[in-house]
């Protein structure tokens, strides 16, 4: 009996040590995932860096809050919730939206009249900026909107990979916040969302952004691709105030941020499947303003506006892209 108790004790210690060494947890498409089961997994595996609950139809806001300790401890780096039942309320609560909003409001009040940085005598009252160290977040095929994504932008300042495919409630308002807060973003997927050329223009100044997917967006056209690499869209020349400063620039000034003017796009891959209104001028613009572009996906191009000479002009422009080393995939439907 004494030897048996020793064996059991060693077994329990080894089991606890083994569970503590796991860094990845995947319950992808698990139809039996329940709230008690989620609690059990979170309690057992305490050092997880990657969690995948994609396509778990029973995963909702209640289970989402169980991830809060991992988020707060900044151990978690990868969170995949594609196709789950989470909502705006759950995401805002997980990322402490109210707390972050109060921080930015306090910072804005502390700004002096010249829109400089926070005066030194007010810094101790505001405290450090709330920050969560997630690097990859997949919220595709969920019902979230701009409201909860602002909470993500406010807190996940180190985010590098963000997937929001088929989130139809996403608009330009969220993309406006991306260059203000997510300056480290390397990959962005907003395919099948409600963004327009105005929203695409906000992505042109992101220094780290390399891959963008804007496929199958209802407003996806040549102007959107132009805005993506130049930062300009049809209404961008219209200032929003009498001093010639638009809202985006004003917000950046209030936060003490700077945007590089006139810099070329750093994008290496653009996916714009099911686009429309693409012509030779658009391709020439891409060749000129996106010199680092390596992949351009224009498959399933909506070719209802094809005119005489269109294909000849397109071939010349495609040849320029190929000479720049760009791999182009294009098909007309």
């Amino acid at each position: 009996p004494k030897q048996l108790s020793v064996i059991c004790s060693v077994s329990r210690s080894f089991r606890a040590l083994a569970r503590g060494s796991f860094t990845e947890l995947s319950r992808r498409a698990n139809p039996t995932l329940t709230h008690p089961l989620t609690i059990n997994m979170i309690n057992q595996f305490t050092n997880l860096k990657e969690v995948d609950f994609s396509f778990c139809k029973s995963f909702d806001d209640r289970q989402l809050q169980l991830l809060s300790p991992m988020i707060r401890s900044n151990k978690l780096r990868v969170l995949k919730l594609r196709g789950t039942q989470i909502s705006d309320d759950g995401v805002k609560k997980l990322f402490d939206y109210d707390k972050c909003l109060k921080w930015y409001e306090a910072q804005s009040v502390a700004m002096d009249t010249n829109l400089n940085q926070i005066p030194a005598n007010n810094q101790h009252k505001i405290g450090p900026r709330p920050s969560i160290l997630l690097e990859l977040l997949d919220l595709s095929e969920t019902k979230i909107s701009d409201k909860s994504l602002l909470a993500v932008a406010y807190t996940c300042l180190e985010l590098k990979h963000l997937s929001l495919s088929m989130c139809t409630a996403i608009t330009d308002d969220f993309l406006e916040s991306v260059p203000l807060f997510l300056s480290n973003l390397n990959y962005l997927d907003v395919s099948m969302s409600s963004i327009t050329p105005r929203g695409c223009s906000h992505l042109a100044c992101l220094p780290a952004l390399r891959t963008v997917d804007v496929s199958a967006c209802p407003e996806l056209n040549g102007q959107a691709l132009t805005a993506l690499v130049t930062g300009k869209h049809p209404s961008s020349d219209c200032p929003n105030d009498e001093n010639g400063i638009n809202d985006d620039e004003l917000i950046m000034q209030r936060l003490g941020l700077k945007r590089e003017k006139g810099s070329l796009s750093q994008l290496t891959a653009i996916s714009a499947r099911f686009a429309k209104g693409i012509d030779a001028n658009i391709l020439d613009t891409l060749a000129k303003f996106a010199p680092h572009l390596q992949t351009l996906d224009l498959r399933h191009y909506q070719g209802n506006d094809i005119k005489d000479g269109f294909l000849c002009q397109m071939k010349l422009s495609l040849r320029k892209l190929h000479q720049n080393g760009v791999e182009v995939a294009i098909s007309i439907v």
Side-chain angles (χ1 to χ4, degrees), residues 270-283:
I270 298 176
S271 181
R273 288 166 290 173
F274 299 96
K276 53 189 176 183
I278 307 293
D279 56 22
N281 293 330
I282 301 300
L283 296 183

Side-chain angles (χ1 to χ4, degrees), residues 73-111:
S73 64
N74 281 327
K75 293 181 180 179
L76 198 62
R77 293 293 186 271
V78 177
L79 181 57
K80 300 178 182 179
L81 301 173
R82 186 185 188 103
T84 57
Q85 301 300 313
I86 61 174
S87 68
D88 278 338
D89 291 338
V91 174
K92 289 169 66 176
K93 186 175 181 180
L94 180 68
F95 291 101
D96 273 342
Y97 173 77
D98 292 335
K99 180 180 179 181
C100 295
L101 189 59
K102 290 180 180 179
W103 186 91
Y104 284 107
E105 289 176 348
Q107 187 189 45
S108 179
V109 171
M111 294 291 184

Side-chain angles (χ1 to χ4, degrees), residues 197-218:
R198 182 177 72 86
C200 290
S201 68
H202 296 300
L203 303 177
C205 60
L206 281 172
L209 192 61
R210 296 295 181 267
T211 303
V212 173
D213 191 342
V214 292
S215 300
C217 295

